[in-house]
Short mmCIF file of all heavy atoms in Angstrom, two decimals:
data_model
loop_
_atom_site.label_atom_id
_atom_site.label_comp_id
_atom_site.label_asym_id
_atom_site.label_seq_id
_atom_site.Cartn_x
_atom_site.Cartn_y
_atom_site.Cartn_z
N GLU A 31 10.43 -3.61 -30.34
CA GLU A 31 11.06 -4.38 -29.27
C GLU A 31 12.41 -4.87 -29.76
O GLU A 31 12.50 -5.49 -30.82
CB GLU A 31 10.16 -5.55 -28.85
CG GLU A 31 8.85 -5.07 -28.23
CD GLU A 31 7.87 -6.19 -27.91
OE1 GLU A 31 8.27 -7.38 -28.01
OE2 GLU A 31 6.71 -5.88 -27.57
N LEU A 32 13.46 -4.57 -29.01
CA LEU A 32 14.83 -4.89 -29.39
C LEU A 32 15.40 -5.96 -28.48
O LEU A 32 15.20 -5.92 -27.27
CB LEU A 32 15.70 -3.64 -29.33
CG LEU A 32 15.23 -2.43 -30.16
CD1 LEU A 32 16.05 -1.20 -29.81
CD2 LEU A 32 15.31 -2.74 -31.64
N ARG A 33 16.11 -6.90 -29.04
CA ARG A 33 16.79 -7.92 -28.25
C ARG A 33 18.27 -7.60 -28.15
O ARG A 33 18.86 -7.03 -29.08
CB ARG A 33 16.60 -9.31 -28.90
CG ARG A 33 15.14 -9.77 -28.97
CD ARG A 33 14.50 -9.86 -27.58
NE ARG A 33 13.10 -10.27 -27.63
CZ ARG A 33 12.67 -11.48 -27.30
NH1 ARG A 33 13.53 -12.41 -26.90
NH2 ARG A 33 11.39 -11.77 -27.35
N ASP A 34 18.86 -7.94 -27.03
CA ASP A 34 20.29 -7.71 -26.80
C ASP A 34 20.65 -6.26 -27.14
O ASP A 34 21.53 -5.99 -27.96
CB ASP A 34 21.14 -8.69 -27.61
CG ASP A 34 20.82 -10.13 -27.25
OD1 ASP A 34 20.68 -10.43 -26.05
OD2 ASP A 34 20.70 -10.96 -28.17
N ALA A 35 19.96 -5.36 -26.51
CA ALA A 35 20.09 -3.94 -26.83
C ALA A 35 20.54 -3.13 -25.61
O ALA A 35 20.46 -3.60 -24.47
CB ALA A 35 18.76 -3.39 -27.34
N SER A 36 21.00 -1.93 -25.88
CA SER A 36 21.42 -1.01 -24.82
C SER A 36 20.69 0.32 -24.96
O SER A 36 20.17 0.66 -26.04
CB SER A 36 22.93 -0.77 -24.88
OG SER A 36 23.66 -1.94 -24.61
N VAL A 37 20.64 1.05 -23.85
CA VAL A 37 20.07 2.39 -23.82
C VAL A 37 21.15 3.32 -23.27
O VAL A 37 21.68 3.08 -22.18
CB VAL A 37 18.82 2.46 -22.92
CG1 VAL A 37 18.23 3.87 -22.93
CG2 VAL A 37 17.78 1.43 -23.35
N PHE A 38 21.47 4.36 -24.03
CA PHE A 38 22.50 5.31 -23.60
C PHE A 38 21.83 6.63 -23.24
O PHE A 38 21.07 7.20 -24.03
CB PHE A 38 23.53 5.54 -24.71
CG PHE A 38 24.72 6.37 -24.27
CD1 PHE A 38 25.74 5.79 -23.54
CD2 PHE A 38 24.80 7.72 -24.58
CE1 PHE A 38 26.84 6.54 -23.13
CE2 PHE A 38 25.89 8.48 -24.17
CZ PHE A 38 26.91 7.88 -23.45
N ILE A 39 22.09 7.09 -22.03
CA ILE A 39 21.45 8.29 -21.47
C ILE A 39 22.51 9.33 -21.18
O ILE A 39 23.56 9.03 -20.60
CB ILE A 39 20.69 7.92 -20.17
CG1 ILE A 39 19.52 6.97 -20.49
CG2 ILE A 39 20.21 9.16 -19.43
CD1 ILE A 39 18.99 6.24 -19.28
N ARG A 40 22.22 10.56 -21.59
CA ARG A 40 23.09 11.68 -21.24
C ARG A 40 22.26 12.72 -20.51
O ARG A 40 21.26 13.21 -21.04
CB ARG A 40 23.74 12.31 -22.47
CG ARG A 40 24.82 13.34 -22.12
CD ARG A 40 25.41 13.99 -23.36
NE ARG A 40 26.01 13.02 -24.26
CZ ARG A 40 27.26 12.55 -24.14
NH1 ARG A 40 28.01 12.94 -23.13
NH2 ARG A 40 27.73 11.68 -25.03
N GLY A 41 22.65 13.02 -19.29
CA GLY A 41 21.87 13.97 -18.50
C GLY A 41 20.50 13.40 -18.19
O GLY A 41 20.38 12.31 -17.62
N HIS A 42 19.48 14.12 -18.61
CA HIS A 42 18.11 13.72 -18.27
C HIS A 42 17.38 13.08 -19.44
O HIS A 42 16.21 12.74 -19.31
CB HIS A 42 17.32 14.94 -17.79
CG HIS A 42 17.99 15.68 -16.67
ND1 HIS A 42 18.39 15.05 -15.51
CD2 HIS A 42 18.35 16.98 -16.52
CE1 HIS A 42 18.95 15.93 -14.69
NE2 HIS A 42 18.95 17.10 -15.29
N ARG A 43 18.07 12.93 -20.58
CA ARG A 43 17.38 12.42 -21.76
C ARG A 43 18.02 11.15 -22.31
O ARG A 43 19.21 10.91 -22.13
CB ARG A 43 17.37 13.48 -22.88
CG ARG A 43 16.70 14.78 -22.50
CD ARG A 43 16.42 15.61 -23.74
NE ARG A 43 16.01 16.97 -23.41
CZ ARG A 43 15.32 17.76 -24.23
NH1 ARG A 43 14.97 17.31 -25.43
NH2 ARG A 43 14.99 18.99 -23.87
N ILE A 44 17.18 10.38 -22.98
CA ILE A 44 17.69 9.23 -23.74
C ILE A 44 18.39 9.77 -24.98
O ILE A 44 17.83 10.56 -25.74
CB ILE A 44 16.53 8.30 -24.14
CG1 ILE A 44 15.85 7.72 -22.90
CG2 ILE A 44 17.02 7.20 -25.07
CD1 ILE A 44 14.55 7.01 -23.20
N GLU A 45 19.64 9.32 -25.18
CA GLU A 45 20.38 9.77 -26.35
C GLU A 45 20.35 8.75 -27.48
O GLU A 45 20.29 9.11 -28.66
CB GLU A 45 21.83 10.08 -25.97
CG GLU A 45 22.63 10.70 -27.09
CD GLU A 45 23.93 11.31 -26.60
OE1 GLU A 45 23.88 12.28 -25.81
OE2 GLU A 45 24.97 10.81 -27.00
N ALA A 46 20.39 7.47 -27.15
CA ALA A 46 20.39 6.45 -28.19
C ALA A 46 19.92 5.13 -27.63
O ALA A 46 20.11 4.81 -26.46
CB ALA A 46 21.79 6.30 -28.78
#
Side-chain angles (χ1 to χ4, degrees):
E31 295 175 10
L32 304 171
R33 297 300 179 106
D34 301 318
S36 295
V37 181
F38 188 79
I39 294 163
R40 189 182 301 276
H42 307 306
R43 301 195 191 202
I44 297 169
E45 187 166 295

